[in-house]
Amino acid sequence: MKLMLVFASDEIPDLISENIKPPGVEMIWYGHVLKAMDNIDEIDPACIIISAGDFPRHWKTLVQFVRSERSKKQCSIILLKDGDLPVEEASKAFFIGISGIVCGDLGRSAVMDRLQSILERYLDLPNKRKARRYRAKPWTRFGFCMTHPASKTIVTTTVKTLSAAGVSFEPDHPSLAANLAEGTELHECSLRVGNDIISPICRLIRKQPDMSMEFIFLSRAEQSILDSYLGNIPLQAVKRR
């Protein structure tokens, strides 16, 4: 499954990749609308995200071009707008074939969450629950530490996101984990979720800009603890509004 990103620079595509790229989805970035249009047939994307701010005129051309051959079901198109989009313009966008609109700065977690929810709605993901990442908030009780497999040093971290499939974090002392290679399995890890501490076996899948681990083993009881806590996060968020 392929996700096409059409942005003038790679800053936002990198942000999307780091924060909400669904498992099993290949991301392809184009910096020019015409180049993206030339490659629609070859790429055959399941979804396209295009920046209205980068291409204030040409995004409509791309939408009309795609819709001439592909329905919303075949290829969803999400429009990103830095500021607010007038209701009249939004109505026109949906009329010509936009599937969803996200307005605002993707650096804000609420905006990124909205984009993630739209992606989950339109992409046929095998397990949407596992694709959902929850960002650490002041009231969430996330924690992660690991023992370096070679030095046996305990590496403490600051958790950035957590999902049923893995965790991303920033080491409190980056030098202690600097020589860990991607693909390394770590068998001595501790993950705090709420009042519980579980011990997943993890694999390092990314080192920059934040480190990211996927859980390659959790006992049934530990998976149940994690699933229960993540499932309650939306309710906790509502209580704090």
Side-chain angles (χ1 to χ4, degrees):
M1 187 181 302
K2 296 177 181 178
L3 172 62
M4 177 182 283
L5 306 179
V6 188
F7 291 83
S9 74
D10 61 359
E11 181 179 355
I12 297 301
D14 284 347
L15 193 62
I16 293 172
S17 178
E18 293 159 12
N19 288 274
I20 60 172
K21 177 181 176 294
V25 174
E26 179 184 356
M27 283 181 40
I28 302 168
W29 166 61
Y30 286 97
H32 302 279
V33 172
L34 293 180
K35 184 66 174 178
M37 291 168 58
D38 285 343
N39 288 275
I40 291 290
D41 288 337
E42 178 183 350
I43 301 301
D44 192 23
C47 179
I48 299 171
I49 303 177
I50 183 169
S51 168
D54 290 347
F55 308 107
R57 298 178 181 176
H58 293 101
W59 69 263
K60 295 179 182 178
T61 303
L62 181 139
V63 174
Q64 292 169 333
F65 176 80
V66 173
R67 288 290 171 255
S68 67
E69 295 184 351
R70 289 170 168 81
S71 67
K72 288 185 177 181
K73 186 175 181 179
Q74 292 172 307
C75 179
S76 55
I77 305 176
I78 300 172
L79 184 69
L80 291 193
K81 182 75 168 62
D82 291 340
D84 291 331
L85 192 68
V87 174
E88 182 179 349
E89 285 298 306
S91 297
K92 291 179 180 178
F94 284 112
F95 178 77
I96 66 173
I98 285 292
S99 305
I101 300 173
V102 176
C103 294
D105 178 11
L106 281 182
R108 294 172 50 214
S109 61
V111 179
M112 189 65 79
D113 287 343
R114 169 155 171 73
L115 176 58
Q116 178 170 327
S117 68
I118 291 175
L119 279 175
E120 290 180 349
R121 186 189 316 158
Y122 289 110
L123 291 180
D124 185 20
L125 302 177
N127 191 333
K128 294 184 180 181
R129 175 183 58 81
K130 285 186 176 293
R132 181 66 188 271
R133 302 180 189 179
Y134 295 89
R135 287 172 185 77
K137 307 287 186 181
W139 45 268
T140 52
R141 299 194 68 194
F142 297 162
F144 182 78
C145 67
M146 57 186 176
T147 299
H148 192 293
S151 68
K152 299 302 180 183
T153 302
I154 295 177
V155 182
T156 59
T157 76
T158 300
V159 173
K160 297 300 185 67
T161 66
L162 179 65
S163 75
V167 60
S168 69
F169 56 86
E170 181 180 354
D172 295 334
H173 303 283
S175 61
L176 297 180
N179 64 347
L180 283 175
E182 292 183 359
T184 300
E185 291 186 10
L186 295 101
H187 293 251
E188 299 178 68
C189 303
S190 295
L191 176 69
R192 172 181 285 280
V193 282
N195 295 323
D196 296 291
I197 297 178
I198 60 180
S199 302
I201 297 175
C202 303
R203 179 185 292 118
L204 179 62
I205 58 174
R206 189 183 70 225
K207 294 187 67 174
Q208 296 292 338
D210 295 320
M211 300 190 82
S212 181
M213 296 281 186
E214 64 175 349
F215 303 140
I216 57 177
F217 176 78
L218 280 169
S219 70
R220 183 177 299 181
E222 289 174 328
Q223 187 72 64
S224 178
I225 290 170
L226 179 58
D227 289 348
S228 177
Y229 187 77
L230 294 178
N232 284 324
I233 285 179
L235 297 178
Q236 296 177 39
V238 169
K239 291 178 180 178
R240 285 165 174 78
R241 287 177 181 171

